[in-house]
Amino acid sequence: MREVLTATTEKNPTHGHSQEWLDNLEADFASKNEHLFVHIIPHSHDDVGWLKTVDDYFYGADQHDQQANVANIISTVVLELMDDTKKRFTQVEMKFFSMWWEKQSDRKKEDVRQLVKEGRLEFVNAGWSMHDEACTHHDDIMNNMMIGHEFLEREFGDYARPRIGWHIDPFGHSNANPRLFAEMGLEAWFFARIDFEDKAERMANQSMQWLWRPFSQSLGDAVQIFTHCMPDHYHQPSYLRYDERNFDTDPVIVDQNSTSFNADEKVESLR
């Protein structure tokens, strides 16, 4: 189990990118240290059963209960990635991805493997589902992660092993989960739900990122993991929402000759 769950960073230290590419990227960042870098992460968030059954979510049935068609999401994402090398996507839930994978031709599977090797399709968390932390036994947590990671190991190999934990929707977080994630070899984890008073204090003192040392009284710093709490749940900021469910956000207008120019205001709002 430990062998399956532990990320092998020695075998895959750059996760699909060449060391030269990373060195150039670091040098570029260093030369632009006055710039504001914004990381936008397109990612899946597909409940493995909530308002509909797993099959209903996957095939898009019962749209009156919830608008969701996971099979179409994955198919269109793969098409876009193959069409535009600048695009990236992060896939989270292995249950749905494995359902989609089983229906693909050998040619399409090879295309997807190439996307993963190039780092343009990346897997994070990669459990069978995004497990609960409050009511779940540690055996269930490990089995959930193991089944998802075994699927990736079998179909893609070492280069697809996830390095990031992604728990953006569980209702509350326990000390046990970051300990397990750290011991699985994950380098960091991200979550969204946090007590509103804790969040307000962290937002005020800019401490939404920290090094979590679970059970530190007994373990000290022997087990630790970089932790990031998202500021606006798992959405983009309210003033930068441009998907089909948000129609009240002004676009970013970069034409400085326009009386509607607002690019500087939009950038400043990200600080």
PDB file of all heavy atoms in Angstrom, residues 161-197:
ATOM      1  N   ARG A 161       1.728  10.127 -11.105  1.00  0.00           N
ATOM      2  CA  ARG A 161       1.446  10.114  -9.667  1.00  0.00           C
ATOM      3  C   ARG A 161       1.223  11.533  -9.145  1.00  0.00           C
ATOM      4  O   ARG A 161       2.005  12.435  -9.415  1.00  0.00           O
ATOM      5  CB  ARG A 161       2.608   9.469  -8.909  1.00  0.00           C
ATOM      6  CG  ARG A 161       2.686   7.963  -9.098  1.00  0.00           C
ATOM      7  CD  ARG A 161       3.746   7.354  -8.200  1.00  0.00           C
ATOM      8  NE  ARG A 161       3.814   5.910  -8.364  1.00  0.00           N
ATOM      9  CZ  ARG A 161       4.582   5.122  -7.624  1.00  0.00           C
ATOM     10  NH1 ARG A 161       5.343   5.655  -6.688  1.00  0.00           N
ATOM     11  NH2 ARG A 161       4.587   3.816  -7.824  1.00  0.00           N
ATOM     12  N   PRO A 162       0.154  11.727  -8.383  1.00  0.00           N
ATOM     13  CA  PRO A 162      -0.149  13.073  -7.878  1.00  0.00           C
ATOM     14  C   PRO A 162       0.810  13.496  -6.776  1.00  0.00           C
ATOM     15  O   PRO A 162       1.297  12.674  -5.998  1.00  0.00           O
ATOM     16  CB  PRO A 162      -1.584  12.936  -7.342  1.00  0.00           C
ATOM     17  CG  PRO A 162      -1.726  11.490  -7.018  1.00  0.00           C
ATOM     18  CD  PRO A 162      -0.889  10.751  -8.018  1.00  0.00           C
ATOM     19  N   ARG A 163       1.052  14.799  -6.718  1.00  0.00           N
ATOM     20  CA  ARG A 163       1.894  15.372  -5.676  1.00  0.00           C
ATOM     21  C   ARG A 163       1.117  16.307  -4.761  1.00  0.00           C
ATOM     22  O   ARG A 163       1.630  16.751  -3.738  1.00  0.00           O
ATOM     23  CB  ARG A 163       3.055  16.148  -6.304  1.00  0.00           C
ATOM     24  CG  ARG A 163       3.970  15.297  -7.166  1.00  0.00           C
ATOM     25  CD  ARG A 163       5.116  16.116  -7.709  1.00  0.00           C
ATOM     26  NE  ARG A 163       4.631  17.240  -8.523  1.00  0.00           N
ATOM     27  CZ  ARG A 163       5.385  18.267  -8.896  1.00  0.00           C
ATOM     28  NH1 ARG A 163       6.643  18.331  -8.496  1.00  0.00           N
ATOM     29  NH2 ARG A 163       4.892  19.225  -9.656  1.00  0.00           N
ATOM     30  N   ILE A 164      -0.137  16.597  -5.138  1.00  0.00           N
ATOM     31  CA  ILE A 164      -0.928  17.602  -4.428  1.00  0.00           C
ATOM     32  C   ILE A 164      -2.221  16.980  -3.903  1.00  0.00           C
ATOM     33  O   ILE A 164      -2.925  16.273  -4.637  1.00  0.00           O
ATOM     34  CB  ILE A 164      -1.273  18.788  -5.347  1.00  0.00           C
ATOM     35  CG1 ILE A 164       0.006  19.420  -5.905  1.00  0.00           C
ATOM     36  CG2 ILE A 164      -2.121  19.817  -4.608  1.00  0.00           C
ATOM     37  CD1 ILE A 164       0.925  20.008  -4.863  1.00  0.00           C
ATOM     38  N   GLY A 165      -2.556  17.263  -2.645  1.00  0.00           N
ATOM     39  CA  GLY A 165      -3.866  16.913  -2.102  1.00  0.00           C
ATOM     40  C   GLY A 165      -4.854  18.024  -2.413  1.00  0.00           C
ATOM     41  O   GLY A 165      -4.510  19.210  -2.351  1.00  0.00           O
ATOM     42  N   TRP A 166      -6.085  17.639  -2.756  1.00  0.00           N
ATOM     43  CA  TRP A 166      -7.076  18.626  -3.240  1.00  0.00           C
ATOM     44  C   TRP A 166      -8.406  18.325  -2.560  1.00  0.00           C
ATOM     45  O   TRP A 166      -9.161  17.483  -3.013  1.00  0.00           O
ATOM     46  CB  TRP A 166      -7.184  18.504  -4.751  1.00  0.00           C
ATOM     47  CG  TRP A 166      -7.916  19.611  -5.454  1.00  0.00           C
ATOM     48  CD1 TRP A 166      -9.214  19.583  -5.891  1.00  0.00           C
ATOM     49  CD2 TRP A 166      -7.399  20.896  -5.828  1.00  0.00           C
ATOM     50  NE1 TRP A 166      -9.532  20.764  -6.517  1.00  0.00           N
ATOM     51  CE2 TRP A 166      -8.426  21.588  -6.492  1.00  0.00           C
ATOM     52  CE3 TRP A 166      -6.162  21.513  -5.657  1.00  0.00           C
ATOM     53  CZ2 TRP A 166      -8.257  22.872  -6.989  1.00  0.00           C
ATOM     54  CZ3 TRP A 166      -6.001  22.792  -6.159  1.00  0.00           C
ATOM     55  CH2 TRP A 166      -7.037  23.460  -6.813  1.00  0.00           C
ATOM     56  N   HIS A 167      -8.676  19.013  -1.432  1.00  0.00           N
ATOM     57  CA  HIS A 167      -9.874  18.739  -0.637  1.00  0.00           C
ATOM     58  C   HIS A 167     -10.717  19.994  -0.528  1.00  0.00           C
ATOM     59  O   HIS A 167     -10.907  20.549   0.560  1.00  0.00           O
ATOM     60  CB  HIS A 167      -9.470  18.217   0.746  1.00  0.00           C
ATOM     61  CG  HIS A 167      -9.540  16.740   0.848  1.00  0.00           C
ATOM     62  ND1 HIS A 167      -9.882  16.072   1.989  1.00  0.00           N
ATOM     63  CD2 HIS A 167      -9.337  15.781  -0.087  1.00  0.00           C
ATOM     64  CE1 HIS A 167      -9.872  14.770   1.769  1.00  0.00           C
ATOM     65  NE2 HIS A 167      -9.531  14.574   0.511  1.00  0.00           N
ATOM     66  N   ILE A 168     -11.254  20.422  -1.645  1.00  0.00           N
ATOM     67  CA  ILE A 168     -11.929  21.710  -1.696  1.00  0.00           C
ATOM     68  C   ILE A 168     -13.378  21.661  -1.224  1.00  0.00           C
ATOM     69  O   ILE A 168     -13.989  22.709  -1.064  1.00  0.00           O
ATOM     70  CB  ILE A 168     -11.870  22.290  -3.119  1.00  0.00           C
ATOM     71  CG1 ILE A 168     -12.545  21.345  -4.114  1.00  0.00           C
ATOM     72  CG2 ILE A 168     -10.426  22.559  -3.520  1.00  0.00           C
ATOM     73  CD1 ILE A 168     -12.623  21.908  -5.519  1.00  0.00           C
ATOM     74  N   ASP A 169     -13.926  20.479  -0.979  1.00  0.00           N
ATOM     75  CA  ASP A 169     -15.343  20.432  -0.627  1.00  0.00           C
ATOM     76  C   ASP A 169     -15.699  19.658   0.642  1.00  0.00           C
ATOM     77  O   ASP A 169     -16.832  19.744   1.083  1.00  0.00           O
ATOM     78  CB  ASP A 169     -16.156  19.857  -1.806  1.00  0.00           C
ATOM     79  CG  ASP A 169     -17.570  20.419  -1.836  1.00  0.00           C
ATOM     80  OD1 ASP A 169     -17.822  21.466  -1.210  1.00  0.00           O
ATOM     81  OD2 ASP A 169     -18.444  19.810  -2.482  1.00  0.00           O
ATOM     82  N   PRO A 170     -14.818  18.871   1.261  1.00  0.00           N
ATOM     83  CA  PRO A 170     -15.185  18.231   2.521  1.00  0.00           C
ATOM     84  C   PRO A 170     -15.534  19.267   3.589  1.00  0.00           C
ATOM     85  O   PRO A 170     -14.940  20.343   3.658  1.00  0.00           O
ATOM     86  CB  PRO A 170     -13.917  17.453   2.903  1.00  0.00           C
ATOM     87  CG  PRO A 170     -13.262  17.161   1.604  1.00  0.00           C
ATOM     88  CD  PRO A 170     -13.506  18.380   0.777  1.00  0.00           C
ATOM     89  N   PHE A 171     -16.490  18.897   4.431  1.00  0.00           N
ATOM     90  CA  PHE A 171     -17.012  19.828   5.435  1.00  0.00           C
ATOM     91  C   PHE A 171     -16.194  19.711   6.720  1.00  0.00           C
ATOM     92  O   PHE A 171     -16.578  19.049   7.675  1.00  0.00           O
ATOM     93  CB  PHE A 171     -18.489  19.545   5.695  1.00  0.00           C
ATOM     94  CG  PHE A 171     -19.385  19.997   4.585  1.00  0.00           C
ATOM     95  CD1 PHE A 171     -19.377  19.333   3.362  1.00  0.00           C
ATOM     96  CD2 PHE A 171     -20.223  21.082   4.737  1.00  0.00           C
ATOM     97  CE1 PHE A 171     -20.201  19.749   2.320  1.00  0.00           C
ATOM     98  CE2 PHE A 171     -21.049  21.513   3.709  1.00  0.00           C
ATOM     99  CZ  PHE A 171     -21.024  20.840   2.493  1.00  0.00           C
ATOM    100  N   GLY A 172     -15.063  20.393   6.752  1.00  0.00           N
ATOM    101  CA  GLY A 172     -14.205  20.353   7.920  1.00  0.00           C
ATOM    102  C   GLY A 172     -13.008  19.450   7.696  1.00  0.00           C
ATOM    103  O   GLY A 172     -13.039  18.544   6.858  1.00  0.00           O
ATOM    104  N   HIS A 173     -11.945  19.710   8.456  1.00  0.00           N
ATOM    105  CA  HIS A 173     -10.685  19.019   8.217  1.00  0.00           C
ATOM    106  C   HIS A 173     -10.078  18.582   9.539  1.00  0.00           C
ATOM    107  O   HIS A 173     -10.065  19.327  10.518  1.00  0.00           O
ATOM    108  CB  HIS A 173      -9.729  19.937   7.450  1.00  0.00           C
ATOM    109  CG  HIS A 173     -10.347  20.457   6.188  1.00  0.00           C
ATOM    110  ND1 HIS A 173     -10.442  19.692   5.041  1.00  0.00           N
ATOM    111  CD2 HIS A 173     -10.957  21.629   5.914  1.00  0.00           C
ATOM    112  CE1 HIS A 173     -11.066  20.397   4.107  1.00  0.00           C
ATOM    113  NE2 HIS A 173     -11.389  21.562   4.615  1.00  0.00           N
ATOM    114  N   SER A 174      -9.592  17.370   9.541  1.00  0.00           N
ATOM    115  CA  SER A 174      -9.065  16.763  10.752  1.00  0.00           C
ATOM    116  C   SER A 174      -7.541  16.750  10.738  1.00  0.00           C
ATOM    117  O   SER A 174      -6.909  16.893   9.691  1.00  0.00           O
ATOM    118  CB  SER A 174      -9.584  15.330  10.878  1.00  0.00           C
ATOM    119  OG  SER A 174      -9.029  14.516   9.855  1.00  0.00           O
ATOM    120  N   ASN A 175      -6.954  16.554  11.906  1.00  0.00           N
ATOM    121  CA  ASN A 175      -5.508  16.405  12.000  1.00  0.00           C
ATOM    122  C   ASN A 175      -5.035  15.148  11.289  1.00  0.00           C
ATOM    123  O   ASN A 175      -3.920  15.093  10.772  1.00  0.00           O
ATOM    124  CB  ASN A 175      -5.092  16.336  13.475  1.00  0.00           C
ATOM    125  CG  ASN A 175      -4.187  17.494  13.865  1.00  0.00           C
ATOM    126  OD1 ASN A 175      -3.756  18.279  13.030  1.00  0.00           O
ATOM    127  ND2 ASN A 175      -3.894  17.599  15.141  1.00  0.00           N
ATOM    128  N   ALA A 176      -5.893  14.117  11.282  1.00  0.00           N
ATOM    129  CA  ALA A 176      -5.491  12.834  10.709  1.00  0.00           C
ATOM    130  C   ALA A 176      -5.254  12.931   9.213  1.00  0.00           C
ATOM    131  O   ALA A 176      -4.336  12.294   8.679  1.00  0.00           O
ATOM    132  CB  ALA A 176      -6.542  11.766  11.001  1.00  0.00           C
ATOM    133  N   ASN A 177      -6.076  13.727   8.517  1.00  0.00           N
ATOM    134  CA  ASN A 177      -5.965  13.749   7.054  1.00  0.00           C
ATOM    135  C   ASN A 177      -4.644  14.339   6.570  1.00  0.00           C
ATOM    136  O   ASN A 177      -3.989  13.733   5.717  1.00  0.00           O
ATOM    137  CB  ASN A 177      -7.148  14.501   6.440  1.00  0.00           C
ATOM    138  CG  ASN A 177      -7.332  14.168   4.984  1.00  0.00           C
ATOM    139  OD1 ASN A 177      -7.862  13.114   4.645  1.00  0.00           O
ATOM    140  ND2 ASN A 177      -6.883  15.053   4.102  1.00  0.00           N
ATOM    141  N   PRO A 178      -4.210  15.510   7.050  1.00  0.00           N
ATOM    142  CA  PRO A 178      -2.897  15.993   6.597  1.00  0.00           C
ATOM    143  C   PRO A 178      -1.762  15.063   6.989  1.00  0.00           C
ATOM    144  O   PRO A 178      -0.758  14.977   6.278  1.00  0.00           O
ATOM    145  CB  PRO A 178      -2.769  17.367   7.268  1.00  0.00           C
ATOM    146  CG  PRO A 178      -3.776  17.384   8.350  1.00  0.00           C
ATOM    147  CD  PRO A 178      -4.882  16.496   7.910  1.00  0.00           C
ATOM    148  N   ARG A 179      -1.910  14.353   8.122  1.00  0.00           N
ATOM    149  CA  ARG A 179      -0.859  13.394   8.465  1.00  0.00           C
ATOM    150  C   ARG A 179      -0.801  12.282   7.424  1.00  0.00           C
ATOM    151  O   ARG A 179       0.284  11.920   6.947  1.00  0.00           O
ATOM    152  CB  ARG A 179      -1.111  12.783   9.846  1.00  0.00           C
ATOM    153  CG  ARG A 179      -0.080  11.700  10.164  1.00  0.00           C
ATOM    154  CD  ARG A 179      -0.303  11.012  11.472  1.00  0.00           C
ATOM    155  NE  ARG A 179       0.694   9.957  11.657  1.00  0.00           N
ATOM    156  CZ  ARG A 179       0.803   9.219  12.749  1.00  0.00           C
ATOM    157  NH1 ARG A 179      -0.024   9.403  13.758  1.00  0.00           N
ATOM    158  NH2 ARG A 179       1.733   8.282  12.834  1.00  0.00           N
ATOM    159  N   LEU A 180      -1.965  11.738   7.049  1.00  0.00           N
ATOM    160  CA  LEU A 180      -1.986  10.671   6.050  1.00  0.00           C
ATOM    161  C   LEU A 180      -1.478  11.178   4.700  1.00  0.00           C
ATOM    162  O   LEU A 180      -0.714  10.496   4.018  1.00  0.00           O
ATOM    163  CB  LEU A 180      -3.395  10.108   5.919  1.00  0.00           C
ATOM    164  CG  LEU A 180      -3.901   9.289   7.103  1.00  0.00           C
ATOM    165  CD1 LEU A 180      -5.375   8.960   6.942  1.00  0.00           C
ATOM    166  CD2 LEU A 180      -3.086   8.017   7.265  1.00  0.00           C
ATOM    167  N   PHE A 181      -1.908  12.376   4.305  1.00  0.00           N
ATOM    168  CA  PHE A 181      -1.450  12.933   3.034  1.00  0.00           C
ATOM    169  C   PHE A 181       0.065  13.106   3.029  1.00  0.00           C
ATOM    170  O   PHE A 181       0.735  12.811   2.035  1.00  0.00           O
ATOM    171  CB  PHE A 181      -2.135  14.270   2.764  1.00  0.00           C
ATOM    172  CG  PHE A 181      -3.479  14.151   2.099  1.00  0.00           C
ATOM    173  CD1 PHE A 181      -4.069  12.913   1.897  1.00  0.00           C
ATOM    174  CD2 PHE A 181      -4.163  15.278   1.673  1.00  0.00           C
ATOM    175  CE1 PHE A 181      -5.304  12.789   1.288  1.00  0.00           C
ATOM    176  CE2 PHE A 181      -5.399  15.178   1.044  1.00  0.00           C
ATOM    177  CZ  PHE A 181      -5.973  13.924   0.859  1.00  0.00           C
ATOM    178  N   ALA A 182       0.622  13.606   4.136  1.00  0.00           N
ATOM    179  CA  ALA A 182       2.066  13.790   4.205  1.00  0.00           C
ATOM    180  C   ALA A 182       2.781  12.447   4.112  1.00  0.00           C
ATOM    181  O   ALA A 182       3.797  12.316   3.411  1.00  0.00           O
ATOM    182  CB  ALA A 182       2.432  14.501   5.510  1.00  0.00           C
ATOM    183  N   GLU A 183       2.257  11.432   4.794  1.00  0.00           N
ATOM    184  CA  GLU A 183       2.909  10.132   4.781  1.00  0.00           C
ATOM    185  C   GLU A 183       2.684   9.397   3.462  1.00  0.00           C
ATOM    186  O   GLU A 183       3.404   8.443   3.154  1.00  0.00           O
ATOM    187  CB  GLU A 183       2.418   9.293   5.966  1.00  0.00           C
ATOM    188  CG  GLU A 183       2.880   9.873   7.300  1.00  0.00           C
ATOM    189  CD  GLU A 183       2.535   8.998   8.484  1.00  0.00           C
ATOM    190  OE1 GLU A 183       1.572   8.205   8.375  1.00  0.00           O
ATOM    191  OE2 GLU A 183       3.211   9.114   9.520  1.00  0.00           O
ATOM    192  N   MET A 184       1.692   9.825   2.669  1.00  0.00           N
ATOM    193  CA  MET A 184       1.526   9.283   1.326  1.00  0.00           C
ATOM    194  C   MET A 184       2.512   9.900   0.337  1.00  0.00           C
ATOM    195  O   MET A 184       2.605   9.465  -0.808  1.00  0.00           O
ATOM    196  CB  MET A 184       0.097   9.537   0.824  1.00  0.00           C
ATOM    197  CG  MET A 184      -0.972   8.746   1.537  1.00  0.00           C
ATOM    198  SD  MET A 184      -2.623   9.249   0.996  1.00  0.00           S
ATOM    199  CE  MET A 184      -3.659   8.353   2.168  1.00  0.00           C
ATOM    200  N   GLY A 185       3.228  10.923   0.776  1.00  0.00           N
ATOM    201  CA  GLY A 185       4.209  11.550  -0.090  1.00  0.00           C
ATOM    202  C   GLY A 185       3.720  12.799  -0.787  1.00  0.00           C
ATOM    203  O   GLY A 185       4.442  13.362  -1.617  1.00  0.00           O
ATOM    204  N   LEU A 186       2.504  13.264  -0.489  1.00  0.00           N
ATOM    205  CA  LEU A 186       2.011  14.495  -1.110  1.00  0.00           C
ATOM    206  C   LEU A 186       2.786  15.684  -0.552  1.00  0.00           C
ATOM    207  O   LEU A 186       3.086  15.752   0.643  1.00  0.00           O
ATOM    208  CB  LEU A 186       0.508  14.661  -0.849  1.00  0.00           C
ATOM    209  CG  LEU A 186      -0.385  13.560  -1.439  1.00  0.00           C
ATOM    210  CD1 LEU A 186      -1.850  13.826  -1.105  1.00  0.00           C
ATOM    211  CD2 LEU A 186      -0.201  13.458  -2.942  1.00  0.00           C
ATOM    212  N   GLU A 187       3.100  16.632  -1.420  1.00  0.00           N
ATOM    213  CA  GLU A 187       3.933  17.760  -1.035  1.00  0.00           C
ATOM    214  C   GLU A 187       3.129  18.908  -0.430  1.00  0.00           C
ATOM    215  O   GLU A 187       3.673  19.723   0.325  1.00  0.00           O
ATOM    216  CB  GLU A 187       4.698  18.267  -2.253  1.00  0.00           C
ATOM    217  CG  GLU A 187       5.611  17.222  -2.879  1.00  0.00           C
ATOM    218  CD  GLU A 187       6.190  17.679  -4.195  1.00  0.00           C
ATOM    219  OE1 GLU A 187       5.978  18.864  -4.553  1.00  0.00           O
ATOM    220  OE2 GLU A 187       6.839  16.874  -4.881  1.00  0.00           O
ATOM    221  N   ALA A 188       1.860  18.993  -0.787  1.00  0.00           N
ATOM    222  CA  ALA A 188       1.017  20.087  -0.310  1.00  0.00           C
ATOM    223  C   ALA A 188      -0.430  19.657  -0.449  1.00  0.00           C
ATOM    224  O   ALA A 188      -0.744  18.708  -1.172  1.00  0.00           O
ATOM    225  CB  ALA A 188       1.281  21.362  -1.109  1.00  0.00           C
ATOM    226  N   TRP A 189      -1.309  20.382   0.252  1.00  0.00           N
ATOM    227  CA  TRP A 189      -2.727  20.132   0.017  1.00  0.00           C
ATOM    228  C   TRP A 189      -3.499  21.439   0.141  1.00  0.00           C
ATOM    229  O   TRP A 189      -3.081  22.377   0.810  1.00  0.00           O
ATOM    230  CB  TRP A 189      -3.262  19.034   0.922  1.00  0.00           C
ATOM    231  CG  TRP A 189      -3.495  19.390   2.365  1.00  0.00           C
ATOM    232  CD1 TRP A 189      -2.607  19.940   3.238  1.00  0.00           C
ATOM    233  CD2 TRP A 189      -4.702  19.189   3.101  1.00  0.00           C
ATOM    234  NE1 TRP A 189      -3.171  20.086   4.464  1.00  0.00           N
ATOM    235  CE2 TRP A 189      -4.460  19.626   4.419  1.00  0.00           C
ATOM    236  CE3 TRP A 189      -5.944  18.650   2.784  1.00  0.00           C
ATOM    237  CZ2 TRP A 189      -5.434  19.574   5.418  1.00  0.00           C
ATOM    238  CZ3 TRP A 189      -6.911  18.593   3.781  1.00  0.00           C
ATOM    239  CH2 TRP A 189      -6.657  19.052   5.070  1.00  0.00           C
ATOM    240  N   PHE A 190      -4.623  21.485  -0.571  1.00  0.00           N
ATOM    241  CA  PHE A 190      -5.448  22.677  -0.670  1.00  0.00           C
ATOM    242  C   PHE A 190      -6.864  22.333  -0.218  1.00  0.00           C
ATOM    243  O   PHE A 190      -7.396  21.282  -0.556  1.00  0.00           O
ATOM    244  CB  PHE A 190      -5.489  23.173  -2.121  1.00  0.00           C
ATOM    245  CG  PHE A 190      -4.162  23.663  -2.629  1.00  0.00           C
ATOM    246  CD1 PHE A 190      -3.118  22.778  -2.900  1.00  0.00           C
ATOM    247  CD2 PHE A 190      -3.957  25.022  -2.851  1.00  0.00           C
ATOM    248  CE1 PHE A 190      -1.892  23.236  -3.365  1.00  0.00           C
ATOM    249  CE2 PHE A 190      -2.733  25.481  -3.329  1.00  0.00           C
ATOM    250  CZ  PHE A 190      -1.703  24.594  -3.578  1.00  0.00           C
ATOM    251  N   PHE A 191      -7.467  23.239   0.549  1.00  0.00           N
ATOM    252  CA  PHE A 191      -8.867  23.044   0.905  1.00  0.00           C
ATOM    253  C   PHE A 191      -9.588  24.382   0.924  1.00  0.00           C
ATOM    254  O   PHE A 191      -8.959  25.445   0.838  1.00  0.00           O
ATOM    255  CB  PHE A 191      -9.017  22.281   2.227  1.00  0.00           C
ATOM    256  CG  PHE A 191      -8.447  22.970   3.441  1.00  0.00           C
ATOM    257  CD1 PHE A 191      -9.116  24.027   4.036  1.00  0.00           C
ATOM    258  CD2 PHE A 191      -7.257  22.536   4.005  1.00  0.00           C
ATOM    259  CE1 PHE A 191      -8.613  24.650   5.170  1.00  0.00           C
ATOM    260  CE2 PHE A 191      -6.735  23.146   5.134  1.00  0.00           C
ATOM    261  CZ  PHE A 191      -7.424  24.214   5.714  1.00  0.00           C
ATOM    262  N   ALA A 192     -10.925  24.333   1.053  1.00  0.00           N
ATOM    263  CA  ALA A 192     -11.718  25.552   0.928  1.00  0.00           C
ATOM    264  C   ALA A 192     -12.586  25.838   2.143  1.00  0.00           C
ATOM    265  O   ALA A 192     -12.775  26.994   2.506  1.00  0.00           O
ATOM    266  CB  ALA A 192     -12.610  25.471  -0.320  1.00  0.00           C
ATOM    267  N   ARG A 193     -13.144  24.814   2.750  1.00  0.00           N
ATOM    268  CA  ARG A 193     -14.096  25.042   3.848  1.00  0.00           C
ATOM    269  C   ARG A 193     -13.341  25.192   5.165  1.00  0.00           C
ATOM    270  O   ARG A 193     -12.544  24.346   5.542  1.00  0.00           O
ATOM    271  CB  ARG A 193     -15.094  23.890   3.931  1.00  0.00           C
ATOM    272  CG  ARG A 193     -15.967  23.750   2.689  1.00  0.00           C
ATOM    273  CD  ARG A 193     -17.051  22.706   2.904  1.00  0.00           C
ATOM    274  NE  ARG A 193     -17.825  22.462   1.707  1.00  0.00           N
ATOM    275  CZ  ARG A 193     -18.869  23.199   1.319  1.00  0.00           C
ATOM    276  NH1 ARG A 193     -19.257  24.225   2.052  1.00  0.00           N
ATOM    277  NH2 ARG A 193     -19.533  22.892   0.215  1.00  0.00           N
ATOM    278  N   ILE A 194     -13.628  26.293   5.860  1.00  0.00           N
ATOM    279  CA  ILE A 194     -12.973  26.591   7.123  1.00  0.00           C
ATOM    280  C   ILE A 194     -13.938  27.431   7.957  1.00  0.00           C
ATOM    281  O   ILE A 194     -14.794  28.137   7.419  1.00  0.00           O
ATOM    282  CB  ILE A 194     -11.639  27.343   6.872  1.00  0.00           C
ATOM    283  CG1 ILE A 194     -10.825  27.482   8.157  1.00  0.00           C
ATOM    284  CG2 ILE A 194     -11.882  28.676   6.218  1.00  0.00           C
ATOM    285  CD1 ILE A 194      -9.431  28.066   7.922  1.00  0.00           C
ATOM    286  N   ASP A 195     -13.841  27.352   9.278  1.00  0.00           N
ATOM    287  CA  ASP A 195     -14.690  28.149  10.154  1.00  0.00           C
ATOM    288  C   ASP A 195     -14.583  29.634   9.797  1.00  0.00           C
ATOM    289  O   ASP A 195     -13.479  30.139   9.558  1.00  0.00           O
ATOM    290  CB  ASP A 195     -14.267  27.922  11.607  1.00  0.00           C
ATOM    291  CG  ASP A 195     -15.067  28.779  12.576  1.00  0.00           C
ATOM    292  OD1 ASP A 195     -16.202  28.419  12.901  1.00  0.00           O
ATOM    293  OD2 ASP A 195     -14.537  29.847  12.993  1.00  0.00           O
ATOM    294  N   PHE A 196     -15.721  30.327   9.784  1.00  0.00           N
ATOM    295  CA  PHE A 196     -15.735  31.695   9.262  1.00  0.00           C
ATOM    296  C   PHE A 196     -14.908  32.644  10.127  1.00  0.00           C
ATOM    297  O   PHE A 196     -14.301  33.592   9.615  1.00  0.00           O
ATOM    298  CB  PHE A 196     -17.184  32.197   9.129  1.00  0.00           C
ATOM    299  CG  PHE A 196     -17.885  32.483  10.432  1.00  0.00           C
ATOM    300  CD1 PHE A 196     -17.935  33.764  10.948  1.00  0.00           C
ATOM    301  CD2 PHE A 196     -18.506  31.461  11.144  1.00  0.00           C
ATOM    302  CE1 PHE A 196     -18.585  34.033  12.132  1.00  0.00           C
ATOM    303  CE2 PHE A 196     -19.158  31.718  12.335  1.00  0.00           C
ATOM    304  CZ  PHE A 196     -19.193  33.003  12.837  1.00  0.00           C
ATOM    305  N   GLU A 197     -14.850  32.419  11.440  1.00  0.00           N
ATOM    306  CA  GLU A 197     -14.050  33.293  12.291  1.00  0.00           C
ATOM    307  C   GLU A 197     -12.556  33.040  12.076  1.00  0.00           C
ATOM    308  O   GLU A 197     -11.753  33.981  12.037  1.00  0.00           O
ATOM    309  CB  GLU A 197     -14.428  33.073  13.759  1.00  0.00           C
ATOM    310  CG  GLU A 197     -15.834  33.555  14.096  1.00  0.00           C
ATOM    311  CD  GLU A 197     -16.184  33.329  15.550  1.00  0.00           C
ATOM    312  OE1 GLU A 197     -15.664  32.362  16.140  1.00  0.00           O
ATOM    313  OE2 GLU A 197     -16.982  34.127  16.099  1.00  0.00           O
TER     314      GLU A 197
END
